[in-house]
Amino acid sequence: MSAKLKKSLLFWLLLSPLVVLILFPFAVMFITAIKPANEVLSPTWWPREEAWRNFIDMWAATNFGNALWNSVYVAVLSTVLALLVSIPAAYAMSRFRFAGQGAFRQFLLVSQMLSPIVLVIGLFRLVVWLGLLDNVNSIVFVYGAFNVAFTVWMLQSYFSTIPKDLEEAAWIEGASPARALAMVFLPLALPAMTVTAIFSFINAWNEFVIALTMLRRQESYTLPIQIFSLVAGRYTVEWHHVMAATFVATIPVAIVFAWLQRYLVRGLAIGAVK
């Protein structure tokens, strides 16, 4: 056995407790999801009869498809909105100096300490005044606004690592500042923007309190609220449906991570170097 293989086996042996700890909840969710309803609470680790139709039954019985679409719609649009506002702001903070810049940076950091629960009453009154109660577009704007401070803070740190000489070289070659920004700066900042977008997407995907306050009808529910409704206020909980819905709800985030993994690693490496 080669030394490299021995080293790899040793690393995997050391990581195995962490891997088991991370995967155990997903294994419990999946095994419970494929069990028949009368065997959910039994100690068996595998159903004694065909139960794969639980996922199909869950989709039809829990309005899962509509909730999934609402979550995708809200998470994607709020992430795009946050990035559209944050990229120019972060670029200005990293490239220009202005009075109060340090105080503004600290303000962004302090604003991240505020829990949405503290502001939920004021947000509720504002949404009612705008006539957007029980409208998924209301939480799109709320999530986007909450993510702006985080995305500006993250992007400004990454943008500062990109040498300004590259843009100046493009200016010398005849490129306008806007063209240099689009053709030189933003491609170099793509890993950082991707990392920030991933975290913003996850924040919007998992948010519960604001959605629970703003959304009233089942047709407008996002996934966290829809799954919560399968448990809250019920005399009988269909745990196989709850676990099936929870398991499927984790798949889009896993796909996003797998698709953008190379950008995630590059973006985190940039932050580590800084």
Side-chain angles (χ1 to χ4, degrees), residues 54-151:
N54 283 353
F55 288 93
I56 300 175
D57 296 339
M58 175 276 297
W59 192 283
T62 64
N63 194 36
F64 188 87
N66 188 67
L68 176 63
W69 164 250
N70 288 339
S71 284
V72 171
Y73 176 85
V74 167
V76 170
L77 285 189
S78 62
T79 300
V80 171
L81 178 62
L83 289 178
L84 289 176
V85 175
S86 301
I87 290 173
Y91 180 79
M93 290 183 64
S94 67
R95 287 293 187 261
F96 305 108
R97 297 293 176 264
F98 52 89
Q101 185 177 23
F104 181 68
R105 188 179 291 112
Q106 293 301 318
F107 167 76
L108 293 177
L109 181 61
V110 171
S111 66
Q112 295 302 295
M113 302 178 185
L114 295 176
S115 171
I117 299 177
V118 177
L119 304 175
V120 71
I121 301 300
L123 289 172
F124 178 79
R125 291 173 61 92
L126 177 62
V127 169
V128 171
W129 180 73
L130 293 174
L132 293 176
L133 186 65
D134 200 23
N135 189 325
V136 291
N137 291 314
S138 64
I139 59 175
V140 167
F141 290 108
V142 172
Y143 292 170
F146 269 106
N147 284 329
V148 163
F150 168 78
T151 53

Side-chain angles (χ1 to χ4, degrees), residues 204-254:
W205 185 267
N206 293 330
E207 204 286 323
F208 176 79
V209 173
I210 294 176
L212 181 64
T213 305
M214 305 298 179
L215 305 178
R216 302 301 178 86
R217 293 178 298 110
Q218 189 177 32
E219 291 77 11
S220 60
Y221 282 178
T222 55
L223 279 178
I225 310 304
Q226 183 62 47
I227 295 173
F228 172 73
S229 69
L230 300 179
V231 179
R234 292 176 178 257
Y235 292 105
T236 302
V237 178
E238 302 288 345
W239 286 111
H240 57 302
H241 285 170
V242 174
M243 292 300 179
T246 306
F247 183 81
V248 175
T250 63
I251 295 177
V253 177

Side-chain angles (χ1 to χ4, degrees), residues 3-20:
K4 186 176 181 180
L5 181 58
K6 289 181 179 179
K7 189 175 181 180
S8 297
L9 291 176
L10 177 61
F11 285 157
W12 278 110
L13 182 63
L14 294 175
L15 289 173
S16 57
L18 179 62
V19 172
V20 172

